[in-house]
Amino acid sequence: TQKLADGEKGRVYDYELVATVEDIDRQAISKRDSRLVFSSEQMLGAKLTSDAKSDDSLYFVTKGKPFTLKVVSVDPDGKPLASAALKGRLVREDWKLVRELTVGQMVDTRYEKEEVEERTFTVKPGQPFGSAQLSTQKSGSYAIELSGKDSKGRESFTRFAFYSTGSDEIMWERSDERQLEIVPDKKIYAPGDT
C-alpha cells in the first residue's frame, strides 16, 4: 500500500489492479482496472514559443535569443483553474568527466550529470496563458520546472526538456565500453549462494 504522501509531490499516478481467479481445473479468469490519482487539483501545462503572439511550439531555442514560456493552470478535467504565481527554474544539464584510478592502476572514466540552475523566475498562469520571457546562456540540453500549490496547499509540478542550439562545446553522456557495472540483488552472500 502506498500512501499518496509517500509519492513524489505534484505527480499524477496511474494505479493498476489485476485480479486472477483460477478453478480446480486451472481455468483462469482475470480482470484489470486502473485509476488515475491526482496528488493535487492543479495541473500545470507549459510550452515554449518564439514570442507571446506565436502559438507554434518550440523544442529548439537559440542560445542568447529570447523565447516565451506560456503557462496554463487547469483542474484534472482540463477546465481553467485560478492560480497564484508559480515558481520556475531554468536548468541546464552538464556532463562532467570523472577519472578514477582503479585496480591494476588503470584509469576509468565516467560521466556524471550535473544540473546547473541558470535562472529562477515566477510566472502567473492566465487564461488562455500566462507568459514569461527567458533565454539560455549556453548550448545543450535544458529543462524548465514549474511548481505551485492548489487551494488546499498540495504541490503541483511539471518539468519539460528542450535543447538550446549554438556553437558551444557540449559534453553529452557517454559510457565506457570497458566498464561493467555489477549490481548485487542482496546485501550479503553465503558460501554456495548464486
Side-chain angles (χ1 to χ4, degrees):
T1 302
Q2 177 186 351
K3 295 178 184 172
L4 197 54
D6 294 339
E8 292 184 47
K9 293 178 172 70
R11 305 295 189 190
V12 177
Y13 293 91
D14 186 5
Y15 289 98
E16 183 175 272
L17 177 65
V18 179
T20 302
V21 177
E22 194 174 278
D23 69 10
I24 196 165
D25 295 324
R26 296 194 161 281
Q27 294 180 10
I29 294 177
S30 295
K31 180 70 176 170
R32 173 184 311 240
D33 197 9
S34 65
R35 292 286 183 266
L36 288 177
V37 176
F38 299 90
S39 59
S40 172
E41 68 182 357
Q42 180 183 46
M43 306 288 107
L44 303 174
K47 71 176 181 176
L48 302 180
T49 62
S50 57
D51 58 50
K53 295 177 184 176
S54 175
D55 282 332
D56 295 333
S57 295
L58 294 178
Y59 299 98
F60 293 89
V61 300
T62 303
K63 172 184 84 167
K65 183 178 176 185
F67 57 89
T68 299
L69 168 68
K70 292 186 176 181
V71 180
V72 66
S73 171
V74 297
D75 68 13
D77 295 323
K79 296 180 181 121
L81 184 69
S83 173
L86 306 174
K87 294 178 185 175
R89 293 179 61 216
L90 174 65
V91 293
R92 182 180 69 249
E93 187 179 90
D94 273 350
W95 289 91
K96 302 289 182 193
L97 173 66
V98 177
R99 292 191 172 140
E100 296 177 316
L101 192 58
T102 63
V103 178
Q105 301 299 308
M106 287 189 60
V107 176
D108 276 347
T109 59
R110 62 185 163 83
Y111 295 83
E112 291 182 351
K113 182 169 75 169
E114 175 180 284
E115 285 193 347
V116 178
E117 183 177 273
E118 279 194 2
R119 180 175 174 192
T120 60
F121 58 93
T122 59
V123 61
K124 175 103 168 104
Q127 301 307 322
F129 290 101
S131 63
Q133 196 162 58
L134 304 169
S135 65
T136 57
Q137 296 174 6
K138 293 188 173 185
S139 302
S141 180
Y142 276 79
I144 290 179
E145 295 179 347
L146 296 169
S147 61
K149 293 192 177 194
D150 67 11
S151 61
K152 295 179 182 172
R154 298 174 298 196
E155 289 186 43
S156 54
F157 178 83
T158 192
R159 176 186 169 108
F160 64 95
F162 64 98
Y163 296 95
S164 175
T165 62
S167 59
D168 296 329
E169 181 178 322
I170 301 170
M171 181 80 68
W172 298 99
E173 178 182 18
R174 296 175 55 181
S175 61
D176 185 351
E177 293 81 23
R178 296 175 299 146
Q179 182 176 346
L180 175 66
E181 183 177 355
I182 299 174
V183 180
D185 60 349
K186 55 186 178 180
K187 290 184 179 181
I188 298 176
Y189 288 89
D193 286 353
T194 57

